Amino acid sequence: MSGPSNILRLAVIGGAALTLAGCEIGPKKIEQTGFRGTGGDQIIAANRLVAQPVPAPPFALPADGGPTAGETYQNVQVLKGVSAERFNYLMASMNNWVAPQTGDPAKVGCNYCHNPDNLASDEKYTKIVARRMLQMTQNINANWSTHVKGTGVTCWTCHRGNAVPQYKWAIAPDPGGRLMGNKHGQNSPAATVAFASLPYDPFTPYIKGAQKVRVQGNVPLQTGKPGASIAHTEQTYALMMHMSSALNVNCTFCHNTNSFSSWSNSRPQRVGAWYGIRMVRQANEQYINPLASVFPAYRKGPHGDPYKVNCSTCHQGLNKPLGGVSMLADYPMLVGAVGGPVAASPVKTLVADPNATAKSCNADFDKALAGKTIQFDTGAATVQPVSTPLLDTLTEIAGRCSNFKMLVEGHTDAVGDAAKNLTLSDSRAAAVEQYFVGKGVKADQIAAKGFGSTKPLDTSGTPVGNQRNRRIEISVAAK
């Protein structure tokens, strides 16, 4: 081959290599996280290790006591039991955390949420949203220690001085075209999936909906074993790419690459991520999406859904938001009360019963659920605290039967939209599954699935019949 041709070929190869390496340019920091030779290293983009400062409180935290906010001010619907002094302290902090500081005087500082002539008025949508976000923050701190540990979150964790968090998402626009030019939601460079060719909206199925995070099975034909289509596998990898980018970590932060699916070979961080997916899903579905009618159009995506949270919203390039610094000591009123989604009590050691059979386990679950039902908030997947004793009984049975694969089934009545009922049943089943895993049941021994109204126990359509159909069932499969 002639010299010029060789030069041309080298130029093409070199250009392609530079293009493929575009997202990898920059210095790297390498940390060993496992035994030598196991590949347990973290490769971190050093240029993304940007300081995430924590603002100082506006003034010293006032002593608790004295008249409450509910006694002092009108129309206080959240934090009404907090002292008025501490309430004012938090409002001053939120002013710095969230409210714009420059621009239209009617929309900066306290005026961002309040009418200065009538502080009790709810005329500004931002006040309604702020209430619900405070409740969401309290819920996360009280009931999701499985993900946020004792560090917790505040409004600053996501907002960082912005009225709207910098990192957010909405349902992606529909792909255009019929055949030519229709990329079917992937094969376009997008920051959401670290510029991979994977589906660029993995959030809708996983942290809006409750699709299972699964990859393609290891057998050629579909069986009863966990597995997913290639399309769902690509969505799973897209979500993983997002998480990797959001935390500035690689796969070995959670997984042992010798066996990605093995929980027993994974790092503890994988458990935290498992809870994190469910925490974010609940934040979107129970706190943000229901505000769709409140948000103005410019605060919504192309499909009219509000902008929602994902891993980047809080982490912003660090595996621990704000470098792991907790602000809760200065803001105890944001801890909230336990009892949203059921808070996990101390984990007990669960020991499988070697004499248990699939038949005996199914009988035990049926007996425990006979005449009883797990209570959820209306239209939501939030388990009511009254159901904690029943869940604990079911957890003990699951522990005894943990040598078998178990399936948590969610069922609804036929009232309302069938698609929404299916999603709700899946979310409720996942909430029970989450409780079991939080109590020590092995995650790879239990799964959850919603059936909506497709498997009714009673077809009468009466209130009593509908109540029977709204239920959770647990089945055990023989080996």
Side-chain angles (χ1 to χ4, degrees):
M1 186 176 288
S2 64
S5 296
N6 280 330
I7 293 173
L8 179 60
R9 173 173 287 187
L10 289 172
V12 171
I13 293 173
L18 181 61
T19 301
L20 290 172
C23 60
E24 298 295 333
I25 292 177
K28 302 294 184 290
K29 178 183 177 183
I30 301 176
E31 296 178 352
Q32 183 174 317
T33 55
F35 293 109
R36 292 182 63 185
T38 63
D41 296 334
Q42 281 305 299
I43 302 174
I44 301 166
N47 59 350
R48 296 184 61 205
L49 293 175
V50 180
Q52 297 184 359
V54 175
F59 46 86
L61 177 66
D64 202 8
T68 66
E71 295 168 341
T72 305
Y73 303 110
Q74 297 178 355
N75 196 24
V76 177
Q77 299 183 26
V78 181
L79 301 170
K80 63 177 63 178
V82 173
S83 72
E85 291 296 323
R86 288 198 169 186
F87 182 84
N88 294 337
Y89 166 88
L90 178 61
M91 293 300 105
S93 298
M94 291 176 65
N95 193 356
N96 295 328
W97 294 344
V98 178
Q101 301 300 307
T102 59
D104 184 351
K107 298 179 181 179
V108 301
C110 298
N111 297 345
Y112 181 63
C113 290
H114 296 278
N115 176 349
D117 298 323
N118 181 10
L119 294 178
S121 171
D122 285 344
E123 64 192 79
K124 294 193 175 185
Y125 84 91
T126 44
K127 183 178 180 182
I128 298 171
V129 172
R131 279 196 191 113
R132 195 60 178 146
M133 294 303 97
L134 282 170
Q135 291 173 323
M136 181 183 75
T137 301
Q138 289 181 318
N139 173 60
I140 289 173
N141 290 329
N143 298 308
W144 288 101
S145 61
T146 46
H147 185 71
V148 300
K149 307 301 180 183
T151 305
V153 298
T154 66
C155 312
W156 176 263
T157 310
C158 295
H159 283 268
R160 314 285 176 96
N162 300 301
V164 179
Q166 180 181 358
Y167 299 99
K168 55 193 179 293
W169 71 279
I171 298 173
D174 295 325
R178 295 183 178 179
L179 181 61
M180 296 296 292
N182 187 342
K183 297 183 180 180
H184 300 283
Q186 60 187 91
N187 299 319
S188 296
T192 52
V193 291
F195 302 102
S197 63
L198 296 163
Y200 49 73
D201 180 13
F203 312 123
T204 298
Y206 293 119
I207 58 176
K208 178 181 182 297
Q211 181 172 302
K212 299 300 179 184
V213 178
R214 295 286 187 267
V215 296
Q216 190 176 2
N218 56 5
V219 292
L221 301 177
Q222 186 174 2
T223 68
K225 297 180 179 180
S229 66
I230 292 176
H232 284 182
T233 298
E234 289 184 321
Q235 291 175 336
T236 289
Y237 282 130
L239 180 66
M240 297 297 105
M241 290 295 287
H242 161 72
M243 296 172 74
S244 176
S245 178
L247 277 65
N248 193 11
V249 298
N250 50 294
C251 305
T252 54
F253 186 71
C254 291
H255 296 273
N256 184 326
T257 54
N258 182 53
S259 178
F260 276 99
S261 63
S262 172
W263 279 90
S264 59
N265 290 330
S266 298
R267 301 183 73 213
Q269 285 81 352
R270 185 179 177 186
V271 178
W274 189 92
Y275 283 111
I277 291 169
R278 285 148 181 81
M279 180 191 77
V280 172
R281 182 187 298 155
Q282 185 198 61
N284 288 328
E285 285 300 280
Q286 296 190 24
Y287 291 92
I288 298 177
N289 278 336
L291 294 171
S293 62
V294 176
F295 281 105
Y298 64 87
R299 289 286 169 84
K300 298 178 182 179
H303 287 277
D305 58 308
Y307 288 116
K308 294 171 283 296
V309 297
N310 57 24
C311 305
S312 292
T313 311
C314 290
H315 284 270
Q316 301 191 22
L318 295 181
N319 64 61
K320 292 183 178 180
L322 304 175
V325 176
S326 176
M327 299 173 66
L328 292 188
D330 292 322
Y331 301 98
M333 67 289 291
L334 293 180
V335 174
V338 172
V342 179
S345 49
V347 175
K348 298 179 180 179
T349 301
L350 299 175
V351 179
D353 182 355
N355 297 317
T357 64
K359 182 178 180 180
S360 67
C361 290
N362 280 316
D364 288 344
F365 278 124
D366 291 345
K367 181 178 179 181
L369 287 166
K372 301 176 184 177
T373 185
I374 297 171
Q375 300 289 332
F376 296 89
D377 287 352
T378 302
T382 304
V383 181
Q384 295 181 359
V386 69
S387 293
T388 300
L390 176 56
L391 280 172
D392 286 341
T393 298
L394 296 172
T395 301
E396 292 177 4
I397 299 171
R400 295 199 307 268
C401 299
S402 57
N403 283 333
F404 300 90
K405 297 288 186 180
M406 292 167 280
L407 178 66
V408 180
E409 300 180 6
H411 302 271
T412 68
D413 56 34
V415 177
D417 182 76
K420 290 182 178 179
N421 283 339
L422 181 62
T423 299
L424 178 62
S425 67
D426 208 39
S427 297
R428 286 179 169 178
V432 175
E433 176 196 27
Q434 167 198 314
Y435 188 89
F436 287 169
V437 174
K439 286 296 193 75
V441 177
K442 294 179 180 179
D444 57 358
Q445 291 296 107
I446 192 165
K449 183 176 181 179
F451 293 90
S453 59
T454 62
K455 294 186 176 183
L457 295 176
D458 190 312
T459 58
S460 66
T462 64
V464 173
N466 289 339
Q467 185 175 7
R468 287 191 66 206
N469 291 332
R470 297 189 296 268
R471 68 196 188 278
I472 290 289
E473 294 181 351
I474 303 171
S475 60
V476 177
K479 292 183 177 180

